[in-house]
Amino acid sequence: MKNNTINPSKQNQCIFDLLPEASPTFQTEFKKQQPIKQETQIMNTQDQTDKYGFKSQKELKQKNDPKTFNARIQKWRIMIDIFDKQEKPDKKLLKNRTRKGIPDGFRNLAWPYLAGVPQAKIDSILYLKCGKYDEFLKSQEFKFEQQIRLDVLRTFPDNVNFQDQTVLSESLVNVLKALSVAISDMGYCQGLNFLTAALIMVTNDENAFWILFRLMTKYNQAEKYKNPSYLLREFFILDSLINQYYPTTAKIFKKNNIDLFYFATEWFITLFASTLPIDLFYRVFEIFLLEGEKTLFRCALTIIHFKEQKLIQLQNNFENSLRHLKSLDDFFTLDNDQFINVMLNKFKFSRQLIQQLDEKYKKQKKK
């Protein structure tokens, strides 16, 4: 993997400001997205948008077996009841049901438990002397507010819910402001807007805030926003896994100088919220909440899995290969279960493997 160097001292700068200069065509692609000027009011109707407000995303193919779906709903009713009673569900059962997918109407209830939000509130009281979302919004100063408001206009530009002054766009601003206060040494960085927007399309502002707070603390995701060089660790691990599982793709990357930095930055900085169809992102995200960081690398490998054949055809074309790696089109031709089954069954590595690669990266970094 090509060794791009990021200056660790540039904390709280946006990741996309720090992309290497080797490929100016692509390095600022994310930032160049201009706010969509909405000439006329778009009504959020079924034929104009999908259920989340996207104008361009096609509906993923789904297996709609009413009997199976109804049974899944009933099982999650029981699971939520267990959560509400503060009882511990059977770990194997919870893992199995989460992998099969949480029904839409239950995500708002299940995600806070999977993320450990009750514990996050306790931790917040202990360490920050503040345990309520609204209290973080009472701050006298939000030094990142101007940047947040600019980025909200760039968030999912094809989603009507984030164009101009909408209820969800203001919710997005508030959650990001509160998070920048709660984790002041992280503040705000681009990428968080996409992840947060994906959450508030499903759950309320308060739940979204506490899930994010938990991700940044317990799941250690804040490091990549505090110090952009932390992403190099994730690239090193992913590069090692690609060499193991997809050596042909690894050779194509090396031959054409396609560094993971050019396309995987967006994957890791948004936790795939902006790089997968939204329904598929939700499936991956809830597995991540339960199973942790290895899910991110499994997801990245699964994307490579479905793109490898086309990459082989495009192997001598840098720009088309990179464009293909960033495209969502591949994932509208399969249902969620196809992607999830490959992710879970083909890449069965453990957390220990990720830890071993992490240690290998640290040793290499010291040299």
Side-chain angles (χ1 to χ4, degrees):
M1 184 178 73
K2 186 179 175 181
N3 185 22
N4 287 306
T5 302
I6 309 174
N7 187 346
S9 67
K10 296 185 178 181
Q11 289 195 6
N12 291 327
Q13 287 197 25
C14 294
I15 297 297
F16 303 106
D17 290 328
L18 302 172
L19 292 173
E21 297 179 358
S23 181
T25 305
F26 295 97
Q27 67 175 6
T28 55
E29 177 182 322
F30 219 51
K31 287 200 67 180
K32 282 183 179 178
Q33 295 182 36
Q34 296 298 317
I36 292 180
K37 293 182 180 179
Q38 195 172 338
E39 304 273 334
T40 57
Q41 185 177 5
I42 299 177
M43 301 300 293
N44 192 0
T45 60
Q46 191 171 4
D47 17 43
Q48 290 175 315
T49 66
D50 69 8
K51 60 186 176 183
Y52 298 109
F54 287 98
K55 291 181 289 184
S56 64
Q57 287 201 19
K58 308 166 189 175
E59 294 285 349
L60 279 172
K61 291 183 179 180
Q62 300 294 325
K63 296 176 182 177
N64 294 315
D65 178 0
K67 186 176 179 180
T68 302
F69 183 71
N70 290 334
R72 188 165 295 166
I73 287 176
Q74 185 57 34
K75 289 174 181 177
W76 273 100
R77 281 199 182 108
I78 296 170
M79 191 65 73
I80 296 299
D81 187 53
I82 292 172
F83 290 149
D84 287 341
K85 291 177 181 176
Q86 298 185 346
E87 298 175 357
K88 291 186 177 180
D90 179 83
K91 289 184 179 179
K92 187 175 181 180
L93 184 64
L94 178 60
K95 182 178 180 179
N96 183 51
R97 289 183 180 172
T98 302
R99 285 182 165 197
K100 288 181 178 179
I102 302 173
D104 286 347
F106 290 89
R107 283 176 169 147
N108 180 51
L109 301 171
W111 285 0
Y113 288 104
L114 295 181
V117 164
Q119 184 59 48
K121 293 180 179 180
I122 294 171
D123 292 343
S124 179
I125 293 171
L126 289 174
Y127 301 110
L128 302 176
K129 309 302 179 186
C130 180
K132 293 184 178 179
Y133 166 64
D134 290 342
E135 291 179 11
F136 290 109
L137 287 173
K138 293 178 182 177
S139 173
Q140 297 300 309
E141 181 183 0
F142 296 102
K143 62 181 179 179
F144 298 101
E145 182 169 3
Q146 183 178 3
Q147 185 62 52
I148 288 171
R149 290 193 177 277
L150 285 173
D151 287 345
V152 164
L153 293 174
R154 301 185 183 108
T155 305
F156 294 129
D158 62 337
N159 189 304
V160 298
N161 291 312
F162 299 102
Q163 294 175 11
D164 297 332
Q165 298 297 316
T166 64
V167 173
L168 276 186
S169 67
E170 199 58 32
S171 290
L172 179 54
V173 169
N174 286 335
V175 174
L176 290 170
K177 283 165 58 178
L179 191 67
S180 72
V181 172
I183 309 179
S184 58
D185 60 337
M186 178 187 76
Y188 167 75
C189 183
Q190 285 179 318
L192 285 170
N193 53 317
F194 283 91
L195 175 58
T196 306
L199 298 187
I200 63 174
M201 284 191 279
V202 168
T203 191
N204 60 46
D205 298 13
E206 184 173 355
N207 275 345
F209 167 79
W210 286 114
I211 290 170
L212 287 163
F213 183 87
R214 188 71 166 168
L215 292 179
M216 299 305 130
T217 53
K218 180 65 175 177
Y219 291 74
N220 202 35
Q221 293 300 300
E223 291 305 313
K224 69 183 73 175
Y225 303 107
K226 292 179 183 179
N227 186 349
S229 65
Y230 188 82
L231 278 171
L232 298 179
R233 166 197 175 268
E234 296 182 323
F235 298 150
F236 177 87
I237 294 172
L238 179 57
D239 185 64
S240 299
L241 293 170
I242 291 174
N243 274 281
Q244 177 181 341
Y245 285 96
Y246 294 103
T248 300
T249 293
K251 289 176 183 177
I252 292 172
F253 287 168
K254 185 175 182 180
K255 178 181 177 182
N256 293 281
N257 293 316
I258 300 176
D259 196 287
L260 298 184
F261 204 99
Y262 296 133
F263 60 91
T265 296
E266 189 177 346
W267 294 1
F268 289 111
I269 212 69
T270 70
L271 301 188
F272 301 96
S274 65
T275 58
L276 290 176
I278 197 69
D279 265 322
L280 182 53
F281 162 73
Y282 290 143
R283 289 288 302 276
V284 172
F285 179 71
E286 53 208 21
I287 294 171
F288 166 68
L289 289 179
L290 191 63
E291 301 185 34
E293 185 184 33
K294 66 179 180 180
T295 304
L296 301 181
F297 296 107
R298 283 174 162 176
C299 181
L301 288 171
T302 307
I303 293 175
I304 296 295
H305 172 85
F306 285 107
K307 290 182 176 292
E308 184 175 57
Q309 289 306 311
K310 184 73 176 287
L311 282 172
I312 292 171
Q313 297 172 20
L314 298 169
Q315 60 178 291
N316 293 318
N317 190 313
F318 173 85
E319 291 196 1
N320 286 343
S321 295
L322 204 53
R323 192 173 292 111
H324 174 58
L325 285 163
K326 289 170 172 279
S327 171
L328 297 180
D329 292 345
D330 307 77
F331 307 116
F332 291 115
T333 59
L334 71 164
D335 63 47
N336 290 340
D337 289 336
Q338 282 179 275
F339 187 97
I340 298 298
N341 286 339
V342 170
M343 187 179 85
L344 297 176
N345 295 320
K346 186 174 178 62
F347 311 113
K348 290 188 175 182
F349 48 81
S350 65
R351 294 180 185 181
Q352 285 70 31
L353 176 60
I354 302 301
Q355 290 170 358
Q356 289 168 7
L357 291 172
D358 178 60
E359 290 299 319
K360 187 176 179 180
Y361 169 72
K362 289 175 181 175
K363 290 178 181 178
Q364 180 175 300
K365 189 179 177 183
K366 289 179 181 178
K367 293 179 180 180

